[in-house]
Amino acid sequence: MSEQTQQRRARRGRAVRWGVPIAAVAVVAGAVGAGPVIAAVQGDPVLPERTAEQLLADALQATKSGPTPMSGTVLQTASLGVPGLPEVSSGMGGTSPAALLTGSHELKVWYGGDERLRLAMPGRMSETDLIVNGDQAWLWESDSSTATRIKDTGEAAGHASGKGPGHESGHESGHPEALPTAATPQQIAKEVLQRADADTAVGVSSSEKVAGRDAYQLTLAPKDASSLVKEVKLALDGETFVPLRVQVYAKSAAEPAFEVGFTSVSFTPPAPENFTFTPPPGAKVKEQSLDELAKGLGADPQARQEKGGKIAEGMRTVGKGWTAVAVLPFSAQDLKGLAPQGQTGEEAGSPEAQAVTDALLKSATPVSGPWGSGKVVRTKLVSALLTDDGRLLFGAVTPEKLTEVAGR
Amino acid sequence: MSTVDVTGVTAEAGPAPVPDAAPGLREDTPASRRPGAARAWLRLLGSEAGLTFRRPRNLAVLAVLGIIPVLIGVVMRLFAEPIAAEAADGPGNGGAIFAQITGNGLFLTFAALSVLVQLMLPVAVAVVAGDAVAGEAGGGTLRYLLTAPAGRTRLLAAKYGNAVLFCLAAVSVIALSALVTGLALFPIGPITLLSGTTISFAEGLLRIGLVVLYVTAGMAALAAFALALSTLTEVAIGAIAATVVTVIVIQVLGVIPQLAWLQPYLLTQWWNEFDGVLRDPVAAGEMGQGLLVFAAYVVIFGSIAWARFTGKDITS
């Protein structure tokens, strides 16, 4: 065998060898990409077709018989485009509820029926748990090793679920203003849809897959062009009609601005141990009412704003449905006055709140018109206009709509 | 997954026995795969391990790893109150775990591992795995190793097996040292998990065992990466430094919020997931996913190391 042939063979052998790592990379990439692909392949509608009305009626029927015991992992992703939200702190796995406003966050949920609920927010080497069992509710924070017993638990359960899947889903709940008095779910569904029809385009698809389960998806799109919301998608489990995912799409982006949904879900009743909580030895045990607790957790600037009750008193809304605009008396001094309030006490989020306020003011663009002048802040889903004559207008609408309302 | 694997390997097995130009490039022929092959490999692994664990440099690395938990424990014992208060002030950065040590000695193990897994442990693994092939090549001993009829694949497998053994030893040294220090300096008893549930001391020990295995798997993934780098160079320190630098770069990437979508693919992000053991119920889903990520790293970089090493001209 000539030397040349040998060299050629060696080279070919080497080339073939490198096929193995390439194949390995392909296999791994395939495994990573396989999830969506499989979901797409199996995406043929296996669920019977339902109209929006039937779907809503079935869902209401299911709610009446009480939610099904379940457990799962909820992933919440927010990309609201709020200028200056300190994202880095959340990157470190902070467990502050305010951190939920930005980035991706994971929540574990166990629901056992009969007012038994556990929510766990894992952080790095830490965990925050909320355990509701009948008339008992505990908040456990491993960071400070504090167990807080929450008084007034009836509301606590509602508050808890508000932090979970229902968070920021005000767009749906905003619609059935004062639920009609109709008796059967079918009637309620019909009436709700009739009301919604005035300003909302409703669509249903039966081929969704969420957390590996077949689901119906209800699409609600505002008809008014001045809304910043493109559509809201609500996925309901095909069997139990439990809401599995809520996505809010802004007009300015293809990715949802806000999304909360299950990444894994199981409808087998979770183990009862999940709902029992005894403060561990050595832990600080406190007892707090819900209000005090909200103050402690209130790194959320919105919550603080709400607490400024005297500001909210003068609030009124203009318009209704998707394009409702809230108008309240407010000035830049008020905004500055809010921030230092947070610096008292040991609230971890208060410097963040300050930073947010500063960044918001800095990012505001000045506008003026026949109605006067002011500053506009625009995020993906919400615009706010602070006029120089001391009014604050905000809503899920374009800045143009805000100035129009300001002129009225 | 397995189907592609199989085709990849069988396509490979065809041209492999072709006599090659470079010395020692011959692969294992079917005849060489006698029943004794496994025993021969174990003997090879044994001699590799003997060399590794007798080397003063590696022993020094293990000693340093073992001393750090003692240091943490002694410092916590002496200055417990101020540190605990300070740690509790910084929410979400894992500092609070230190506050728990004073309450329970077992927590020293978790605290020590959570600190060391960031950099010290990866450095130790890089020193051994990065040196595995490059060190022999640089010292001129690789040629002689390959004159033995062991085959390159088997030699590489022994080198990797040895690196994994070292990972296990390093993690175990930390865990044992922390355990002994914790038992000596702090009260022991039932431990409180991150979820607020209390488990017995014996179960705590079991969970430490799980943590050791999980972290070892994570380090084994890094060892595969270091081994692949090691086959690319004849300068051992180059492979070691490159591994360490990569770990640091990945960690920096991991905290940039704009790159959050990248995090599930980063090795270092999954090392920290061992805290899933401290939850109730154990976060088996996350940790299982972590193990899958580690396996993916081992497969990719292991095959790169293999392709490079078996096709390489050994000149030194």
Side-chain angles (χ1 to χ4, degrees), chain A residues 13 37 39 63 79 108 122 131 153 161 163-164 166-167 172 178-179 184 200 205 233 245 303 307 372 407:
Chain A
V37 172
T63 330
S79 126
K108 304 230 165 181
I131 297 136
T153 51
S161 53
K163 260 195 282 177
H167 188 40
E172 292 84 54
L179 264 183
T184 68
T200 312
S205 81
K233 292 182 173 176
R245 189 178 63 195
K307 276 194 297 163

PDB file of all heavy atoms in Angstrom, chain A residues 13 37 39 63 79 108 122 131 153 161 163-164 166-167 172 178-179 184 200 205 233 245 303 307 372 407:
ATOM      1  N   GLY A  13     -10.670   8.406   7.737  1.00  0.00           N
ATOM      2  CA  GLY A  13     -11.045   7.861   9.035  1.00  0.00           C
ATOM      3  C   GLY A  13     -11.281   8.974  10.030  1.00  0.00           C
ATOM      4  O   GLY A  13     -12.242   8.961  10.801  1.00  0.00           O
ATOM      5  N   VAL A  37     -41.795  20.021  18.755  1.00  0.00           N
ATOM      6  CA  VAL A  37     -42.094  19.304  17.518  1.00  0.00           C
ATOM      7  C   VAL A  37     -43.176  18.255  17.751  1.00  0.00           C
ATOM      8  O   VAL A  37     -44.154  18.162  17.013  1.00  0.00           O
ATOM      9  CB  VAL A  37     -40.820  18.652  16.934  1.00  0.00           C
ATOM     10  CG1 VAL A  37     -41.183  17.748  15.767  1.00  0.00           C
ATOM     11  CG2 VAL A  37     -39.836  19.721  16.505  1.00  0.00           C
ATOM     12  N   ALA A  39     -45.302  18.201  20.122  1.00  0.00           N
ATOM     13  CA  ALA A  39     -46.560  18.884  20.386  1.00  0.00           C
ATOM     14  C   ALA A  39     -47.221  19.313  19.080  1.00  0.00           C
ATOM     15  O   ALA A  39     -48.436  19.203  18.914  1.00  0.00           O
ATOM     16  CB  ALA A  39     -46.320  20.096  21.282  1.00  0.00           C
ATOM     17  N   THR A  63     -66.676  24.993  37.366  1.00  0.00           N
ATOM     18  CA  THR A  63     -66.353  25.811  38.531  1.00  0.00           C
ATOM     19  C   THR A  63     -67.364  25.601  39.640  1.00  0.00           C
ATOM     20  O   THR A  63     -67.030  25.645  40.813  1.00  0.00           O
ATOM     21  CB  THR A  63     -66.358  27.301  38.151  1.00  0.00           C
ATOM     22  OG1 THR A  63     -65.992  27.406  36.789  1.00  0.00           O
ATOM     23  CG2 THR A  63     -65.406  28.082  39.007  1.00  0.00           C
ATOM     24  N   SER A  79     -42.727  40.512  30.269  1.00  0.00           N
ATOM     25  CA  SER A  79     -41.845  41.423  29.574  1.00  0.00           C
ATOM     26  C   SER A  79     -42.700  42.622  29.239  1.00  0.00           C
ATOM     27  O   SER A  79     -43.155  42.831  28.137  1.00  0.00           O
ATOM     28  CB  SER A  79     -41.239  40.724  28.360  1.00  0.00           C
ATOM     29  OG  SER A  79     -41.440  41.408  27.199  1.00  0.00           O
ATOM     30  N   LYS A 108     -44.622  26.700  42.320  1.00  0.00           N
ATOM     31  CA  LYS A 108     -45.208  25.362  42.405  1.00  0.00           C
ATOM     32  C   LYS A 108     -46.550  25.476  43.103  1.00  0.00           C
ATOM     33  O   LYS A 108     -46.680  26.214  44.075  1.00  0.00           O
ATOM     34  CB  LYS A 108     -44.287  24.454  43.208  1.00  0.00           C
ATOM     35  CG  LYS A 108     -42.899  24.426  42.626  1.00  0.00           C
ATOM     36  CD  LYS A 108     -42.458  23.027  42.450  1.00  0.00           C
ATOM     37  CE  LYS A 108     -41.257  22.993  41.556  1.00  0.00           C
ATOM     38  NZ  LYS A 108     -40.798  21.670  41.328  1.00  0.00           N
ATOM     39  N   PRO A 122     -39.624  28.787  44.699  1.00  0.00           N
ATOM     40  CA  PRO A 122     -38.254  28.407  44.998  1.00  0.00           C
ATOM     41  C   PRO A 122     -37.269  29.488  44.559  1.00  0.00           C
ATOM     42  O   PRO A 122     -37.412  30.067  43.480  1.00  0.00           O
ATOM     43  CB  PRO A 122     -38.036  27.116  44.195  1.00  0.00           C
ATOM     44  CG  PRO A 122     -39.113  27.080  43.180  1.00  0.00           C
ATOM     45  CD  PRO A 122     -40.147  28.120  43.515  1.00  0.00           C
ATOM     46  N   ILE A 131     -49.107  28.368  52.659  1.00  0.00           N
ATOM     47  CA  ILE A 131     -49.890  27.155  52.891  1.00  0.00           C
ATOM     48  C   ILE A 131     -51.237  27.543  53.476  1.00  0.00           C
ATOM     49  O   ILE A 131     -51.306  28.185  54.517  1.00  0.00           O
ATOM     50  CB  ILE A 131     -49.149  26.185  53.830  1.00  0.00           C
ATOM     51  CG1 ILE A 131     -47.858  25.741  53.151  1.00  0.00           C
ATOM     52  CG2 ILE A 131     -50.004  24.973  54.139  1.00  0.00           C
ATOM     53  CD1 ILE A 131     -46.665  25.742  54.024  1.00  0.00           C
ATOM     54  N   THR A 153     -58.337  34.461  57.093  1.00  0.00           N
ATOM     55  CA  THR A 153     -57.876  33.588  56.030  1.00  0.00           C
ATOM     56  C   THR A 153     -58.818  33.488  54.855  1.00  0.00           C
ATOM     57  O   THR A 153     -58.408  33.094  53.777  1.00  0.00           O
ATOM     58  CB  THR A 153     -57.655  32.161  56.570  1.00  0.00           C
ATOM     59  OG1 THR A 153     -58.842  31.790  57.256  1.00  0.00           O
ATOM     60  CG2 THR A 153     -56.470  32.130  57.485  1.00  0.00           C
ATOM     61  N   SER A 161     -54.598  33.141  45.477  1.00  0.00           N
ATOM     62  CA  SER A 161     -54.840  32.739  44.097  1.00  0.00           C
ATOM     63  C   SER A 161     -54.676  33.942  43.181  1.00  0.00           C
ATOM     64  O   SER A 161     -54.373  33.801  42.008  1.00  0.00           O
ATOM     65  CB  SER A 161     -56.234  32.126  43.950  1.00  0.00           C
ATOM     66  OG  SER A 161     -57.189  33.010  44.481  1.00  0.00           O
ATOM     67  N   LYS A 163     -52.290  35.986  43.424  1.00  0.00           N
ATOM     68  CA  LYS A 163     -50.876  36.062  43.093  1.00  0.00           C
ATOM     69  C   LYS A 163     -50.495  35.003  42.066  1.00  0.00           C
ATOM     70  O   LYS A 163     -49.487  35.085  41.412  1.00  0.00           O
ATOM     71  CB  LYS A 163     -50.027  35.844  44.347  1.00  0.00           C
ATOM     72  CG  LYS A 163     -49.530  37.155  44.932  1.00  0.00           C
ATOM     73  CD  LYS A 163     -48.415  36.908  45.921  1.00  0.00           C
ATOM     74  CE  LYS A 163     -48.943  36.435  47.246  1.00  0.00           C
ATOM     75  NZ  LYS A 163     -47.884  36.122  48.197  1.00  0.00           N
ATOM     76  N   GLY A 164     -51.275  33.978  41.998  1.00  0.00           N
ATOM     77  CA  GLY A 164     -50.966  32.877  41.094  1.00  0.00           C
ATOM     78  C   GLY A 164     -51.519  33.128  39.699  1.00  0.00           C
ATOM     79  O   GLY A 164     -51.353  34.217  39.155  1.00  0.00           O
ATOM     80  N   GLY A 166     -54.197  33.985  38.465  1.00  0.00           N
ATOM     81  CA  GLY A 166     -55.101  35.087  38.199  1.00  0.00           C
ATOM     82  C   GLY A 166     -54.409  36.428  38.099  1.00  0.00           C
ATOM     83  O   GLY A 166     -55.012  37.404  37.700  1.00  0.00           O
ATOM     84  N   HIS A 167     -53.134  36.485  38.492  1.00  0.00           N
ATOM     85  CA  HIS A 167     -52.383  37.715  38.526  1.00  0.00           C
ATOM     86  C   HIS A 167     -52.445  38.446  37.192  1.00  0.00           C
ATOM     87  O   HIS A 167     -52.130  37.883  36.167  1.00  0.00           O
ATOM     88  CB  HIS A 167     -50.930  37.364  38.874  1.00  0.00           C
ATOM     89  CG  HIS A 167     -50.076  38.567  39.137  1.00  0.00           C
ATOM     90  ND1 HIS A 167     -50.507  39.636  39.822  1.00  0.00           N
ATOM     91  CD2 HIS A 167     -48.815  38.829  38.783  1.00  0.00           C
ATOM     92  CE1 HIS A 167     -49.555  40.530  39.899  1.00  0.00           C
ATOM     93  NE2 HIS A 167     -48.512  40.078  39.265  1.00  0.00           N
ATOM     94  N   GLU A 172     -59.787  39.773  31.747  1.00  0.00           N
ATOM     95  CA  GLU A 172     -60.959  38.908  31.631  1.00  0.00           C
ATOM     96  C   GLU A 172     -62.004  39.289  32.667  1.00  0.00           C
ATOM     97  O   GLU A 172     -63.171  39.430  32.368  1.00  0.00           O
ATOM     98  CB  GLU A 172     -60.594  37.435  31.839  1.00  0.00           C
ATOM     99  CG  GLU A 172     -59.752  36.862  30.754  1.00  0.00           C
ATOM    100  CD  GLU A 172     -58.315  37.194  31.014  1.00  0.00           C
ATOM    101  OE1 GLU A 172     -57.822  36.900  32.093  1.00  0.00           O
ATOM    102  OE2 GLU A 172     -57.691  37.790  30.106  1.00  0.00           O
ATOM    103  N   ALA A 178     -70.321  43.006  37.093  1.00  0.00           N
ATOM    104  CA  ALA A 178     -71.510  42.593  37.834  1.00  0.00           C
ATOM    105  C   ALA A 178     -72.201  41.438  37.113  1.00  0.00           C
ATOM    106  O   ALA A 178     -73.027  41.628  36.244  1.00  0.00           O
ATOM    107  CB  ALA A 178     -72.488  43.751  37.984  1.00  0.00           C
ATOM    108  N   LEU A 179     -71.747  40.241  37.475  1.00  0.00           N
ATOM    109  CA  LEU A 179     -72.254  39.050  36.777  1.00  0.00           C
ATOM    110  C   LEU A 179     -73.769  39.065  36.665  1.00  0.00           C
ATOM    111  O   LEU A 179     -74.469  39.349  37.630  1.00  0.00           O
ATOM    112  CB  LEU A 179     -71.809  37.786  37.522  1.00  0.00           C
ATOM    113  CG  LEU A 179     -70.548  37.126  36.981  1.00  0.00           C
ATOM    114  CD1 LEU A 179     -70.253  35.851  37.749  1.00  0.00           C
ATOM    115  CD2 LEU A 179     -70.669  36.831  35.496  1.00  0.00           C
ATOM    116  N   THR A 184     -78.503  29.465  34.905  1.00  0.00           N
ATOM    117  CA  THR A 184     -77.695  28.349  34.446  1.00  0.00           C
ATOM    118  C   THR A 184     -76.405  28.855  33.818  1.00  0.00           C
ATOM    119  O   THR A 184     -76.349  29.976  33.315  1.00  0.00           O
ATOM    120  CB  THR A 184     -78.466  27.542  33.395  1.00  0.00           C
ATOM    121  OG1 THR A 184     -78.584  28.358  32.238  1.00  0.00           O
ATOM    122  CG2 THR A 184     -79.834  27.143  33.898  1.00  0.00           C
ATOM    123  N   THR A 200     -65.273  43.127  21.714  1.00  0.00           N
ATOM    124  CA  THR A 200     -64.284  42.063  21.700  1.00  0.00           C
ATOM    125  C   THR A 200     -64.587  41.037  20.607  1.00  0.00           C
ATOM    126  O   THR A 200     -65.747  40.652  20.431  1.00  0.00           O
ATOM    127  CB  THR A 200     -64.268  41.312  23.052  1.00  0.00           C
ATOM    128  OG1 THR A 200     -64.219  42.261  24.100  1.00  0.00           O
ATOM    129  CG2 THR A 200     -63.067  40.392  23.145  1.00  0.00           C
ATOM    130  N   SER A 205     -60.107  27.854  19.743  1.00  0.00           N
ATOM    131  CA  SER A 205     -59.467  26.762  19.017  1.00  0.00           C
ATOM    132  C   SER A 205     -59.436  25.569  19.954  1.00  0.00           C
ATOM    133  O   SER A 205     -59.409  25.721  21.174  1.00  0.00           O
ATOM    134  CB  SER A 205     -58.057  27.148  18.592  1.00  0.00           C
ATOM    135  OG  SER A 205     -57.167  26.976  19.662  1.00  0.00           O
ATOM    136  N   LYS A 233     -55.110  35.447  25.340  1.00  0.00           N
ATOM    137  CA  LYS A 233     -55.423  34.043  25.081  1.00  0.00           C
ATOM    138  C   LYS A 233     -55.553  33.302  26.395  1.00  0.00           C
ATOM    139  O   LYS A 233     -54.707  33.428  27.270  1.00  0.00           O
ATOM    140  CB  LYS A 233     -54.316  33.410  24.239  1.00  0.00           C
ATOM    141  CG  LYS A 233     -54.267  33.954  22.833  1.00  0.00           C
ATOM    142  CD  LYS A 233     -53.188  33.252  22.046  1.00  0.00           C
ATOM    143  CE  LYS A 233     -53.236  33.666  20.591  1.00  0.00           C
ATOM    144  NZ  LYS A 233     -52.139  33.059  19.839  1.00  0.00           N
ATOM    145  N   ARG A 245     -53.428  28.379  31.106  1.00  0.00           N
ATOM    146  CA  ARG A 245     -52.468  29.403  30.675  1.00  0.00           C
ATOM    147  C   ARG A 245     -53.213  30.672  30.295  1.00  0.00           C
ATOM    148  O   ARG A 245     -54.293  30.620  29.703  1.00  0.00           O
ATOM    149  CB  ARG A 245     -51.675  28.901  29.472  1.00  0.00           C
ATOM    150  CG  ARG A 245     -50.513  29.800  29.078  1.00  0.00           C
ATOM    151  CD  ARG A 245     -49.750  29.238  27.916  1.00  0.00           C
ATOM    152  NE  ARG A 245     -50.584  29.164  26.726  1.00  0.00           N
ATOM    153  CZ  ARG A 245     -50.272  28.464  25.654  1.00  0.00           C
ATOM    154  NH1 ARG A 245     -49.169  27.737  25.628  1.00  0.00           N
ATOM    155  NH2 ARG A 245     -51.068  28.460  24.613  1.00  0.00           N
ATOM    156  N   ALA A 303     -48.861  48.578  44.483  1.00  0.00           N
ATOM    157  CA  ALA A 303     -49.559  48.341  45.739  1.00  0.00           C
ATOM    158  C   ALA A 303     -49.452  49.572  46.614  1.00  0.00           C
ATOM    159  O   ALA A 303     -50.410  49.982  47.255  1.00  0.00           O
ATOM    160  CB  ALA A 303     -48.968  47.140  46.451  1.00  0.00           C
ATOM    161  N   LYS A 307     -52.295  51.992  48.089  1.00  0.00           N
ATOM    162  CA  LYS A 307     -52.446  52.278  49.501  1.00  0.00           C
ATOM    163  C   LYS A 307     -52.586  53.772  49.739  1.00  0.00           C
ATOM    164  O   LYS A 307     -53.210  54.186  50.713  1.00  0.00           O
ATOM    165  CB  LYS A 307     -51.243  51.732  50.281  1.00  0.00           C
ATOM    166  CG  LYS A 307     -51.397  50.277  50.625  1.00  0.00           C
ATOM    167  CD  LYS A 307     -50.376  49.876  51.664  1.00  0.00           C
ATOM    168  CE  LYS A 307     -48.980  50.044  51.119  1.00  0.00           C
ATOM    169  NZ  LYS A 307     -47.971  50.070  52.152  1.00  0.00           N
ATOM    170  N   GLY A 372     -53.246  71.161  26.938  1.00  0.00           N
ATOM    171  CA  GLY A 372     -52.186  71.506  27.874  1.00  0.00           C
ATOM    172  C   GLY A 372     -50.927  70.747  27.534  1.00  0.00           C
ATOM    173  O   GLY A 372     -50.717  70.383  26.368  1.00  0.00           O
ATOM    174  N   GLY A 407     -58.089  65.903  26.750  1.00  0.00           N
ATOM    175  CA  GLY A 407     -58.679  67.090  26.176  1.00  0.00           C
ATOM    176  C   GLY A 407     -60.167  67.231  26.473  1.00  0.00           C
ATOM    177  O   GLY A 407     -60.743  68.289  26.237  1.00  0.00           O
TER     178      GLY A 407
END
